[in-house]
């Protein structure tokens, strides 16, 4: 298989994720410097600025910041800096940019605005030579290596894990405990990749003619729902959307028509009841229902694809893998090249 | 036409919006009390908590708070209170609940959490006897009258306008200037309703067999994009999504297939360039393109449906109307009843 074969890049980048996580946790100095910035300045709130897949990692971090540290966290609206020309940050905030390329002009403008106001700034990027890396007080490298497929896979899970490791360091977790948990996570990651390689193909075959799909989570897994939908949009041109179970009830469920494949993310104990509660509604609509969790006894090909003994906060890191593989397999089945979706480029220069 | 005829409720509720706005601006005492709470306490940030359509009004308010007042504003994650049991607010915040019913348990939990931490609280609801109205330091009634169609229309524009009037009062705009602008807005609203009644039918006929659609805005109009998509999902079961132009480029554009109706919101001067910049990409994908703006010379049925001489910050209040009417007409064309979408209820009790 050469890198020119459709999907070869994406397949290789999915496979190398666990190894990249092990490398990431070795970058203690950057993680510790970013943690010291927070423990030293005790910001009143954290604000995350990101776009696309990175925005889903930021959403995850918004939940984790609040649940783990009890500190308010928000997602920035970059157009306030770029379109409205307003500086809205305060010196007691910490503004965090998350970006694979580190080059998005609207995130650069957001960090510049934060610096003008004296806020602490951190950048998580995969390019140490990028504008965001140069601007921030502390740059945390994602250690994911070059990502060549257009669809982000390994940089997304690297972002999730880097944000997780950083917030755990802020919370005071000892480095050796963190390293042990990442070693276990990498092992789980390898198993999930092996299990879902086959299962994703099965699911892809079942939805080869699908036009739309929906992914539903709650809490941390809302990030997984949105990222899964984005992968399926960009690689397969599906009309896909990802929702919190709480929001799905306010209208989006009405777009589930008979036969629509719907994925319910139930691997996390927190929020699972909320997702489960939608199952009767989804069945009544005739959805083709897929539970994605850690109970092989439940219905559907992906019901047992995830490990049972993982902290809720780490589930998203492995929980996106079955969808990365589904996006890959479904695109190939449909004769598309997931590495080069029509008309998309790797770095999106939004002002 | 009786209220049992399909869509009769929604049609009547769309039509009464301008009159409701005129009534809303007369409720000065509640608006002034809510403004005094902010000017008296000068909160370091505003946090909006909402779900569904109200969350789109909250998104609008998040932008307006920052652009008009220069104060940081965020959207709350209610599950932090309900699922994770964390109090993350601080006493120098102002937490604002936006809810038609005022009864959503997760928003109640969010306001309770805010009160435990000593934050200022405001509730915008359409029911003065609701739990949220009772909990908040100040309750601002939406003055929309009972909404009987499942699809929210008049309560949504009442939320937008109430939030707009409140933030303008905080900014110190004199009441008589505000009243004059709302009188002009109501006049524009009547014209938009009259113009779009016919135009929406034309667009509905053109997309009667559509399975998916996309709506794209930037800045304030991102709220319109999301709300328009929600209306089309809930009343017509379309796979619809609403995006910021900045996010659409990060993957969602790949789900635009030949013939997909795509609506570009170009009535606002701020952000318009960003939306316009996507047009060549959309044309290259074979989208059925609809500009929605105030230039009747541009392409498409809705290109001139909105007034030219309106402040950007008020455009969303009238900008959603063509989509309310499109949702109504398209549902009727498809033999559906937009007043009673299958399996949806008016008050969503999410914990």
């Amino acid at each position: 298989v050469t890198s020119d074969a459709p999907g070869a890049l994406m397949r290789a980048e999915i496979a190398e994720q666990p190894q990249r996580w092990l490398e990431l946790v070795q970058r203690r100095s950057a993680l510790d410097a970013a943690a010291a910035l927070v423990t030293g300045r005790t910001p009143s709130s954290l604000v995350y600025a990101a776009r696309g897949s990175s925005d889903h990692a930021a959403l995850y971090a918004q939940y984790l910041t609040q649940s783990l540290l009890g500190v308010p966290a928000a997602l920035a609206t970059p157009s306030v800096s770029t379109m409205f020309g307003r500086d809205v940050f305060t010196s007691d905030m910490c503004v965090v940019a998350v970006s694979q390329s580190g080059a998005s002009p609207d995130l650069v403008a957001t960090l510049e605005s934060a610096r003008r106001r004296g806020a602490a700034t951190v950048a998580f990027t995969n390019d140490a030579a990028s504008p965001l890396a140069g601007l921030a007080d502390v740059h945390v490298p994602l250690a994911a290596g070059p990502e060549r497929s257009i669809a982000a896979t390994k940089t997304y899970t690297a972002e999730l894990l880097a944000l997780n490791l950083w917030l755990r360091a802020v919370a005071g977790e000892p480095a050796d405990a963190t390293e042990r948990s990442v070693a276990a996570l990498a092992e789980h990651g390898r198993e999930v990749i092996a299990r879902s390689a086959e299962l994703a193909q099965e699911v892809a075959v079942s939805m080869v003619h699908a036009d739309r799909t929906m992914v539903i989570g709650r809490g941390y897994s809302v990030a997984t729902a949105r990222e899964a939908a984005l992968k399926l949009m960009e690689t397969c041109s599906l009309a896909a959307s990802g929702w919190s179970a709480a929001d799905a009830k306010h209208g989006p469920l009405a777009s589930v028509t008979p036969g629509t494949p719907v994925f319910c993310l139930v691997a996390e104990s927190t929020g699972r009841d909320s997702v489960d509660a939608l199952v009767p509604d989804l069945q009544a609509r005739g959805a083709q229902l897929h539970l994605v969790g850690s109970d092989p006894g439940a219905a559907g090909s992906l019901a047992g694809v995830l490990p049972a003994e993982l902290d809720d906060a780490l589930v998203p890191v492995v929980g996106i893998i079955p969808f990365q593989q589904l996006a890959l397999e479904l695109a190939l089945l449909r004769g598309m090249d997931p590495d080069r979706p029509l008309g998309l480029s790797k770095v999106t220069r939004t002002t």
Side-chain angles (χ1 to χ4, degrees), chain A residues 30 44 66 74 111 151 154 159 169 194 196 232 237-238 248 250 257 260 267 303 320 332 350:
Chain A
S44 63
Q66 297 178 101
L111 271 207
K154 64 177 180 171
E159 285 170 351
S196 62
L232 290 164
S237 293
L238 273 172
H250 285 265
T257 48
T260 300
I320 192 60
L332 293 176
T350 309

Side-chain angles (χ1 to χ4, degrees), chain A residues 147-172:
Chain A
E147 188 170 59
R148 295 164 62 204
S149 176
I150 298 279
T153 54
K154 64 177 180 171
T155 56
Y156 175 67
T157 57
E159 285 170 351
L160 292 177
L161 185 59
L163 290 159
N164 174 286
L165 296 176
W166 172 53
L167 293 170
R168 285 158 74 185
V170 171

Side-chain angles (χ1 to χ4, degrees), chain A residues 104-343:
Chain A
S104 182
D106 59 347
L107 302 185
V108 169
T110 301
L111 271 207
E112 284 170 345
S113 174
R115 291 181 66 89
R116 274 195 296 276
R117 288 303 191 90
T121 52
V122 182
F124 289 79
T125 86
N126 203 29
D127 181 356
S130 66
L132 285 175
L135 255 180
D137 293 327
V138 180
H139 171 241
V140 179
L142 298 175
E147 188 170 59
R148 295 164 62 204
S149 176
I150 298 279
T153 54
K154 64 177 180 171
T155 56
Y156 175 67
T157 57
E159 285 170 351
L160 292 177
L161 185 59
L163 290 159
N164 174 286
L165 296 176
W166 172 53
L167 293 170
R168 285 158 74 185
V170 171
E173 185 178 89
D176 58 339
T178 308
E179 285 191 29
R180 277 195 307 273
S181 92
V182 175
L185 178 74
E187 197 45 53
H188 286 308
R190 288 195 192 96
E191 289 165 12
V192 172
I193 290 170
R195 272 198 295 272
S196 62
E198 193 174 334
L199 298 173
Q201 203 142 20
E202 210 173 293
V203 177
V205 169
S206 79
M207 60 189 283
V208 66
H209 298 300
D211 186 67
R212 61 175 70 182
T213 186
M214 190 176 281
V215 191
I216 301 172
R218 186 86 196 264
Y220 302 134
S221 65
V222 176
T224 308
R226 299 230 180 119
E227 174 63 8
L230 184 61
K231 285 306 103 175
L232 290 164
M233 276 190 269
E234 58 184 344
T235 60
C236 304
S237 293
L238 273 172
S241 61
W243 297 96
S244 157
D247 288 312
K249 293 162 75 178
H250 285 265
L253 274 195
S255 69
V256 174
T257 48
T260 300
V262 177
F263 297 86
C264 289
L265 309 181
V266 294
E268 295 155 32
S269 55
T270 307
R272 176 180 179 148
D273 289 353
S274 176
V275 179
D276 278 338
L278 291 183
V279 167
D281 283 346
L282 291 165
Q283 286 170 330
R285 291 179 178 280
Q288 181 191 320
L289 197 64
H290 298 273
L291 299 185
V292 184
S294 57
D295 176 6
S301 306
L302 299 173
V305 73
L306 298 176
E309 60 286 1
L310 199 56
D311 274 355
D312 274 3
L314 285 174
V315 171
V317 183
V318 294
I320 192 60
I321 291 173
F323 293 100
Q324 295 173 340
Q325 290 196 311
L326 173 60
L328 170 69
E329 298 298 347
L330 183 57
L332 293 176
L333 265 182
R334 292 177 164 209
M336 305 168 83
D337 183 354
D339 290 335
R340 300 167 194 85
L342 181 71

Side-chain angles (χ1 to χ4, degrees), chain A residues 47-49 51 75-90 95 104-117 135 350-351:
Chain A
V47 180
Y48 294 91
R51 291 285 184 199
L75 299 182
T77 45
S79 66
V80 168
S81 305
T82 56
M83 303 268 145
F84 295 102
R86 274 289 202 171
D87 289 322
V88 293
F89 302 109
T90 55
V95 180
S104 182
D106 59 347
L107 302 185
V108 169
T110 301
L111 271 207
E112 284 170 345
S113 174
R115 291 181 66 89
R116 274 195 296 276
R117 288 303 191 90
L135 255 180
T350 309
T351 51

